[in-house]
Amino acid sequence: MSSEFLNFSVQFALILLSAAFLLTVFKVIMGPTLPDRILALDMLVAAAIGFIAVIGLKTGYTLYVDIAIALGLVGFLATVAFARFILARGQTEEGRERQRNEDNQKHEKSAAVQGVSEGKAEAEVTTPKKKPAAKKTPAQRTTKTTKARSRKAPAKPETKS
């Protein structure tokens, strides 16, 4: 009887672990956010450890327990690495979406303020200001005057008669 119960328990555990594994793979593929996907990957490691432990019980090899422990350590380190990756990015996808919404609201407010100020500017008629003429250096002033004088006909000397 104990042999039959053990075989039934192993088969039942493998079926449940297979269902959990498939649902977790679905969550990894379709997860809405990056943290959801990372948690699903951690769950995949846990399901794989469960598979290894159940197969170790079924076969009777104790080596499988060592493999499950090593996989647990590697899975934990991978989860920590992913968490640091998210932390290094500074924010999750939801945080970026929230930031985009805040930025859009700020732009809409500034556009509304500019629209009001443009309306006031259109209501008030102002004349455009002329740019002041650039000041000329004395050398520039003399060169123009000498050129202008050189083009003129020479002055006739006045004679007294």
Side-chain angles (χ1 to χ4, degrees):
M1 169 133 165
S2 68
S3 170
E4 290 176 17
F5 180 72
L6 182 62
N7 284 335
F8 174 75
S9 298
V10 166
Q11 293 299 324
F12 185 70
L14 288 174
I15 290 170
L16 287 180
L17 285 170
S18 297
F21 195 84
L22 290 174
L23 290 173
T24 307
V25 168
F26 177 75
K27 188 66 171 177
V28 168
I29 294 170
M30 302 299 288
T33 63
L34 184 61
D36 290 336
R37 289 185 171 113
I38 291 172
L39 286 174
L41 286 173
D42 194 34
M43 182 63 194
L44 281 178
V45 171
I49 292 170
F51 272 118
I52 292 170
V54 169
I55 290 173
L57 283 174
K58 186 176 183 179
T59 60
Y61 288 118
T62 58
L63 181 63
Y64 285 121
V65 175
D66 295 335
I67 293 170
I69 290 171
L71 182 60
L73 291 173
V74 170
F76 171 74
L77 292 175
T79 303
V80 170
F82 280 130
R84 287 185 57 101
F85 171 70
I86 289 175
L87 186 64
R89 285 180 50 188
Q91 53 186 327
T92 61
E93 293 173 7
E94 292 172 354
R96 282 187 301 213
E97 187 174 322
R98 217 175 309 134
Q99 184 67 31
R100 278 189 224 125
N101 290 339
E102 290 173 2
D103 289 343
N104 288 340
Q105 289 175 355
K106 287 179 185 177
H107 289 301
E108 288 172 1
K109 286 180 182 178
S110 65
V113 169
Q114 287 177 352
V116 169
S117 63
E118 287 174 3
K120 288 181 180 178
E122 289 174 4
E124 299 172 1
V125 178
T126 58
T127 58
K129 295 181 180 179
K130 292 183 181 179
K131 291 183 180 179
K135 293 185 178 180
K136 298 177 183 174
T137 61
Q140 288 174 339
R141 282 186 238 148
T142 57
T143 55
K144 282 190 175 180
T145 55
T146 57
K147 287 181 183 176
R149 288 182 187 163
S150 65
R151 289 183 186 166
K152 291 182 180 179
K156 295 182 182 176
E158 293 182 17
T159 54
K160 293 184 181 179
S161 25

